[in-house]
Amino acid sequence: MGYTPEMMELIKRVEATRAARVERVKNGEYFTAMTLDERADVLNKFHPDYKDDGRVAVRVGPNKGDVYPEEFVACLESYPRIDPDKVDFSVLETFTTDVLVIGGGGGGTSAAIIAANEGNKVILATKLRHGDANTVMAEGGIQGADQEVDSPYYHYLDVIGGGHFTNSPELVAALTNDAPLVIKWLEDMGMMFDKNPDGRMRVRHGGGTCRKRMHSAGDMTGSEIMRVLRDEARSHTDSIELIEFAAAVEILKDSQGRVSGALMYNLETEEYFTIRAKAVVIATGGFGRLHVQGFATTNHYGATADGLVLGYRAGVPLAFMHSTQYHPTGAAYPEQNVGLLITEKVRGLGANLLNISGEQFVFEREPRDVESAAIIRECAERENGIQTPVGRLGVWLDSPMIEELEGPGTVERELPAKFVQFMRYGIDIREVPMLVYPTLHYQNGGLKINAKTETGVPGLFAAGEVTGGVHGENRLMGNSLLDVTVFGRRAGQSAAQYVSDFSGEIGEPGLAHAKEFMEEVKGLNVPEDRVAPLLLPDYTTEEVRSHQLTAHYEGTIR
Amino acid sequence: MSTQTIASGDTTILPEGAKFIPVYVMGKKYMLPETLTIQKAIEYAGFQYVRSCGCRGGICGACPTVWRVIGDYQLHFGLACQTVIEENMVLAQMPFFPANRADYKLEELEATAETLSLLYPEILKCVGCNTCTRACPMEIDVMGYINSAMRGDITRAARQSFDCIQCGMCSARCPAQIAHYHVAQLCRRLYGKYVAPGAEHLVSRVSEVEAGKYEGALEALTGMDEPKLKELYVAREAEPLDSEGWEPQDKANL
Ligand SMILES: Cc1cc2nc3c(=O)[nH]c(=O)nc-3n(C[C@H](O)[C@H](O)[C@H](O)COP(=O)(O)OP(=O)(O)OC[C@H]3O[C@@H](n4cnc5c(N)ncnc54)[C@H](O)[C@@H]3O)c2cc1C
Ligand code: SF4
Ligand code: SF4
Ligand code: FES
């Protein structure tokens, strides 16, 4: 299919300016980088994290008064999916276990394996299939200081500097200290790391690293980690019970305020059921599918902030939820690639960002947040974006320049996955530019934990993208695959420790906290049909909805 | 603000004059806008996914889809999130296909041909029809890796199957009833654990960490104020891109 004739016509303008632009780069001349004042201005006006519109203060719960994206605040200021008073535990099917892990991505699966290795019965309950998660989508790599010229000390500095020195120090120390242990753990489970013939890990730099410590498995690092963890979990036939298409909708607490399990929802039969457990680990990942301010996202289908809602209602405070990572270059065309990540490497190799007239409007190596804001300004305020047949806007990322700057063959060699991904749709990125727009990529914040992954609620632990603090206000590439494995393991250990210290019976299943929260929400005048956790996004068109005369939606789910 | 509409999230806004084409979802005709992927077109038709939808980016294997085009006998295979609809496509999605994983613990195995043929004896029954390869949406030489596994060439099977997203399409088609992706997973894990040379520098670093070598340095960093941290951050020596033989001046914290 390729580009439409109209788009091909516009591409001629890009071609018309290319020779001069290539010449300039060869002479070491670049588009003027912004001054700090200009950066502040474009961020304030156009970056979704800075703009006032689209952000409101949350009016309930532990973080009352904090300002977050309104789509997320709407999730927090929501009614439970089911009125706590209407839940009769005596009629619900009940499972009982030592440790309940909610979420079958990298974090949850690591926790389940470790808790099982410590002799516990584990239930791993997950919303979609085991492994349908952000973890499988990570291409780039996982950090860990295991080379002689590197150490956890330098890794620590990189992480905290990258996070603008806002990170939680104890979490950064845990992350960087455990990193080599995690890499070894994965190697021992048979992960196919990229290695030299002598077995040495092949490592690269990532944005903001002072030593090379990015480990990879081709351009499928997250997928390889997930495959290995999932297969390992499957080999624990006697200790890990997997329940798929099972979404947690509420944490359960006993009268002493200890966790006692979770209220679950079977997405297929629409039945609720109970899992009673001594300890619970929340590992439900991110919130990209909230499409904050209409942004497309790199995240998987189930990234709907569920764990944040569950934890928040149970009394766990949030940290850093004011901060979101937008990746400046998400694909905007063709439709089947929309939102997908186009690595920074493309700009690193010299490709310019261009508007509808084929002109540069921003230096291509501004920091991620500034670059994103500049692209939004070009499309929204200046109306210089290129529109796709389905009505999206974007700007050109001039990949053919790479071939001229770095020599023919560079695109295929350096960007094999992207090359194939576009070629599939008849777009040869050696010859024509890509169309890009910022995309919602990573939830920097989340549930507040300590280095043992404790949340403050006895027996409740959290790990992975659902937590906040380790990356501060900005995450570096390669540190979240590390985050989920390091803290997933720690959550497994902490839960196991908690279980072994636990005496007596599992507390009774209780929803008093959810009831209390609901009463608070009642005072806010929010629409009564607004429920959370969302569980799935809804992409039903307005037209279809207007014909569904008897359909009933519970939040986003039919 | 702009007068142009910005399509938001994953909801599609159609351009003026968008062309609608007939697509048969499980045999039933829907008129759907061309240029959409099968996944988005089915949502456009009014379905809400619970199954058959995961990453929406071609890597999780949740959305394998089979189709024919009316008037053509050929069967096609692809991922719903990565394939654009065509006129008169008659499609069905395969959210799940049974394929059993052999019961084993990796640490109890040896990387030998016998291990493979003991755990998955059915691989020896491959008739060489290559149907699995033709069904694979990742363009993997599936028959190739099964043949490697038959011969006990674990390394080759591991490398050949590396891109497998475990969608199960191959196993749905195989006359020998092989559970290809489980065989491939076993080969990759055997390779990663027993065949590929271990990273020795990692072993020494792990023993250093376990001995608590970095605890002091990390504790000092966690207690440090921001100005001091900034100073250290700015002063860190950067390993060059081409770092063959490079060593930092300051080795105190290695
Ligand atoms: C495109 C992309 C590229 C990336 N690249 C990199 C990279 O190169 N390096 C890096 O370090 N990081 C990268 N990341 C980030 C990293 O992959 C994720 O942050 C990390 O894997 C999250 O792991 P997790 O286990 O916390 O969550 P996930 O892997 O998202 O798993 C969460 C699981 O919880 C389930 N779940 C959700 N809600 C519920 C509920 N209510 N009940 C039950 N289950 C539920 C979900 O279905 C899912 O299975 C990338 C992310 C994306 C999207
Ligand atoms: S080898 Fe089989 S399971 Fe793997 S991607 Fe190909 S068809 Fe899917
Ligand atoms: S489909 Fe089955 S029998 Fe045919 S080549 Fe593939 S593995 Fe062999
Ligand atoms: S939805 Fe994951 S491969 Fe299509």
Side-chain angles (χ1 to χ4, degrees):
Chain A
M1 49 177 277
Y3 286 115
T4 62
E6 294 79 14
M7 291 170 106
M8 285 308 290
E9 216 31 59
L10 291 173
I11 288 173
K12 286 189 183 151
R13 300 188 196 168
V14 172
E15 287 164 353
T17 60
R18 189 175 294 140
R21 286 184 286 107
V22 167
E23 204 44 46
R24 280 205 294 278
V25 176
K26 283 188 176 158
N27 296 334
E29 295 164 29
Y30 297 98
F31 193 86
T32 320
M34 288 186 216
T35 63
L36 287 180
D37 282 347
E38 283 167 341
R39 279 186 183 180
D41 183 60
V42 73
L43 284 173
N44 282 327
K45 285 193 189 139
F46 297 98
H47 193 282
D49 268 4
Y50 294 74
K51 275 163 57 181
D52 286 339
D53 50 317
R55 297 166 69 77
V56 291
V58 59
R59 295 170 294 171
V60 283
N63 291 70
K64 202 181 281 185
D66 287 359
V67 175
Y68 301 134
E70 62 190 11
E71 294 81 356
F72 176 56
V73 169
C75 286
L76 295 179
E77 297 180 352
S78 283
Y79 286 92
R81 291 199 81 83
I82 172 160
D83 182 342
D85 285 338
K86 296 202 178 122
V87 183
D88 177 358
F89 289 103
S90 70
V91 302
L92 295 185
E93 185 183 3
T94 301
F95 296 76
T96 306
T97 186
D98 294 322
V99 179
L100 165 63
V101 177
I102 304 170
T109 310
S110 300
I113 292 169
I114 296 294
N117 286 348
E118 299 283 323
N120 291 290
K121 288 269 175 217
V122 179
I123 291 181
L124 177 57
T126 193
K127 190 163 62 178
L128 301 168
R129 299 179 318 161
H130 188 190
D132 289 350
N134 279 355
T135 301
V136 286
M137 306 190 74
E139 298 173 0
I142 176 166
Q143 293 202 34
D146 59 19
Q147 306 286 322
E148 291 81 352
V149 296
D150 194 9
S151 76
Y153 174 89
Y154 288 102
H155 193 178
Y156 185 104
L157 285 177
D158 287 347
V159 174
I160 205 152
H164 310 310
F165 304 96
T166 56
N167 321 41
S168 154
E170 73 165 316
L171 297 184
V172 183
L175 182 83
T176 54
N177 182 75
D178 286 11
L181 309 181
V182 158
I183 304 286
K184 181 82 175 90
W185 184 59
L186 291 169
E187 188 195 42
D188 285 344
M189 285 191 292
M191 174 163 167
M192 283 175 65
F193 280 107
D194 294 334
K195 287 180 173 179
N196 290 339
D198 65 352
R200 177 171 287 274
M201 293 284 177
R202 229 183 288 150
V203 285
R204 288 170 295 127
H205 270 304
T209 57
C210 71
R211 303 291 146 86
K212 293 184 186 171
R213 70 172 81 86
M214 190 74 68
H215 301 67
S216 52
D219 57 0
M220 294 176 60
T221 312
S223 170
E224 171 64 354
I225 289 178
M226 193 68 239
R227 288 188 305 206
V228 166
L229 290 173
R230 182 172 49 206
D231 196 68
E232 179 64 18
R234 282 176 178 156
S235 67
H236 288 67
T237 39
D238 45 353
S239 50
I240 301 180
E241 181 177 358
L242 173 71
I243 312 181
E244 292 179 320
F245 297 94
V249 296
E250 220 72 69
I251 295 295
L252 301 174
K253 289 191 347 183
D254 66 10
S255 53
Q256 299 172 47
R258 298 179 309 181
V259 91
S260 57
L263 181 62
M264 307 293 303
Y265 179 67
N266 179 334
L267 281 161
E268 298 182 307
T269 63
E270 301 173 32
E271 289 170 289
Y272 285 84
F273 62 101
T274 314
I275 301 178
R276 297 180 61 187
K278 294 173 185 158
V280 175
V281 177
I282 302 182
T284 53
F287 78 162
R289 292 278 154 192
L290 297 187
H291 293 296
V292 171
Q293 291 183 34
F295 277 88
T297 182
T298 59
N299 287 192
H300 83 118
Y301 189 48
T304 49
D306 300 354
L308 300 173
V309 174
L310 299 178
Y312 196 67
R313 281 188 194 150
V316 183
L318 301 168
F320 293 94
M321 278 308 295
H322 58 279
S323 162
T324 308
Q325 191 164 75
Y326 293 85
H327 198 286
T329 55
Y333 187 88
E335 194 57 17
Q336 47 275 31
N337 281 356
V338 163
L340 293 190
L341 199 68
I342 294 172
T343 142
E344 247 163 43
K345 207 168 168 188
V346 180
R347 282 170 293 137
L349 289 166
N352 289 155
L353 285 163
L354 307 165
N355 63 19
I356 193 166
S357 312
E359 287 162 357
Q360 281 178 270
F361 58 91
V362 66
F363 174 54
E364 50 280 345
R365 285 186 293 286
E366 298 281 4
R368 275 190 183 179
D369 46 0
V370 174
E371 196 97 86
S372 295
I375 295 172
I376 297 168
R377 173 174 68 190
E378 197 64 19
C379 294
E381 187 189 56
R382 299 180 178 165
E383 300 191 19
N384 282 333
I386 296 93
Q387 195 167 18
T388 74
V390 299
R392 287 177 203 281
L393 289 174
V395 297
W396 299 117
L397 179 59
D398 199 15
S399 45
M401 281 180 78
I402 297 173
E403 298 277 294
E404 296 193 23
L405 287 169
E406 302 281 326
T410 311
V411 165
E412 241 189 296
R413 192 179 64 244
E414 297 292 326
L415 306 162
K418 292 303 129 188
F419 177 70
V420 173
Q421 205 154 28
F422 281 85
M423 213 45 182
R424 217 181 242 163
Y425 306 114
I427 294 174
D428 183 345
I429 62 171
R430 296 171 303 188
E431 310 267 324
V432 287
M434 294 178 249
L435 196 71
V436 298
Y437 196 76
T439 177
L440 184 48
H441 187 46
Y442 185 78
Q443 167 190 299
N444 287 326
L447 300 174
K448 196 169 171 183
I449 54 164
N450 64 16
K452 290 183 181 162
T453 72
E454 292 165 335
T455 60
V457 175
L460 183 61
F461 305 88
E465 192 169 342
V466 75
T467 68
V470 68
H471 308 296
E473 288 179 351
N474 181 43
R475 170 190 71 107
L476 299 184
M477 176 191 156
N479 278 337
S480 50
L481 284 176
L482 182 62
D483 168 6
V484 310
T485 39
V486 163
F487 291 101
R489 275 165 39 115
R490 282 182 172 240
Q493 270 144 9
S494 296
Q497 187 60 46
Y498 182 85
V499 170
S500 83
D501 295 344
F502 193 93
S503 58
E505 295 294 301
I506 301 179
E508 77 289 352
L511 285 168
H513 59 287
K515 169 98 180 138
E516 230 171 85
F517 195 91
M518 190 176 90
E519 292 307 324
E520 260 194 89
V521 171
K522 268 187 189 154
L524 302 179
N525 258 332
V526 300
E528 271 186 34
D529 61 354
R530 190 203 271 172
V531 297
L534 294 184
L535 308 187
L536 294 176
D538 178 27
Y539 297 127
T540 313
T541 63
E542 286 304 314
E543 195 189 349
V544 167
R545 272 208 184 219
S546 72
H547 302 161
Q548 291 174 325
L549 302 181
T550 57
H552 175 73
Y553 284 81
E554 275 299 317
T556 47
I557 298 188
R558 202 179 299 159
Chain B
M1 269 313 269
S2 166
T3 48
Q4 290 171 307
T5 354
I6 302 180
S8 74
D10 263 16
T11 315
T12 303
I13 294 178
L14 299 180
E16 263 177 61
K19 194 175 155 205
F20 284 70
I21 56 174
V23 171
Y24 296 77
V25 180
M26 290 177 281
K28 183 171 164 191
K29 180 169 153 184
Y30 288 88
M31 292 301 290
L32 299 170
E34 62 174 8
T35 76
L36 295 192
T37 57
I38 294 172
Q39 191 164 65
K40 287 183 183 174
I42 287 180
E43 287 175 334
Y44 189 91
F47 292 77
Q48 184 173 39
Y49 279 115
V50 172
R51 287 193 178 254
S52 283
C53 185
C55 64
R56 299 171 79 93
I59 190 73
C60 78
C63 66
T65 304
V66 190
W67 71 91
R68 283 192 158 97
V69 175
I70 290 177
D72 183 359
Y73 74 94
Q74 280 183 74
L75 206 47
H76 301 271
F77 307 90
L79 297 172
C81 66
Q82 298 294 299
T83 310
V84 182
I85 54 167
E86 292 169 47
E87 209 161 320
N88 292 324
M89 194 178 219
V90 186
L91 61 83
Q93 292 198 259
M94 193 186 73
F96 176 81
F97 196 85
N100 296 336
R101 175 190 183 277
D103 191 11
Y104 60 83
K105 293 204 183 333
L106 189 69
E107 60 277 14
E108 294 165 2
L109 301 182
E110 279 176 54
T112 59
E114 290 69 49
T115 299
L116 298 180
S117 56
L118 213 64
L119 290 172
Y120 293 107
E122 62 275 20
I123 55 175
L124 302 173
K125 298 195 183 129
C126 167
V127 299
C129 64
N130 210 27
T131 314
C132 48
T133 305
R134 281 196 296 268
C136 178
M138 298 302 283
E139 290 167 27
I140 293 168
D141 180 4
V142 189
M143 182 172 83
Y145 78 61
I146 291 297
N147 287 348
S148 301
M150 265 162 83
R151 291 197 310 272
D153 190 342
I154 291 172
T155 302
R156 198 167 148 78
R159 296 211 172 114
Q160 283 171 304
S161 70
F162 187 76
D163 290 342
C164 174
I165 58 173
Q166 312 195 332
C167 69
M169 198 89 95
C170 48
S171 307
R173 297 284 294 152
C174 175
Q177 306 176 61
I178 293 168
H180 308 68
Y181 63 89
H182 286 310
V183 177
Q185 180 67 73
L186 174 60
C187 291
R188 286 193 306 274
R189 289 191 69 191
L190 287 171
Y191 172 80
K193 184 172 178 67
Y194 297 111
V195 183
E200 279 165 30
H201 59 98
L202 183 56
V203 176
S204 14
R205 181 52 50 85
V206 165
S207 51
E208 288 170 336
V209 171
E210 282 173 345
K213 178 172 174 190
Y214 301 100
E215 273 166 22
L218 289 173
E219 203 175 300
L221 287 170
T222 54
M224 213 171 268
D225 61 13
E226 192 175 320
K228 181 68 190 157
L229 274 176
K230 274 191 175 149
E231 202 178 296
L232 293 177
Y233 181 71
V234 173
R236 75 216 203 285
E237 293 166 73
E239 179 173 358
L241 275 180
D242 179 4
S243 60
E244 194 62 47
W246 177 82
E247 286 192 9
Q249 303 274 311
D250 181 359
K251 296 186 179 145
N253 290 297
L254 291 181

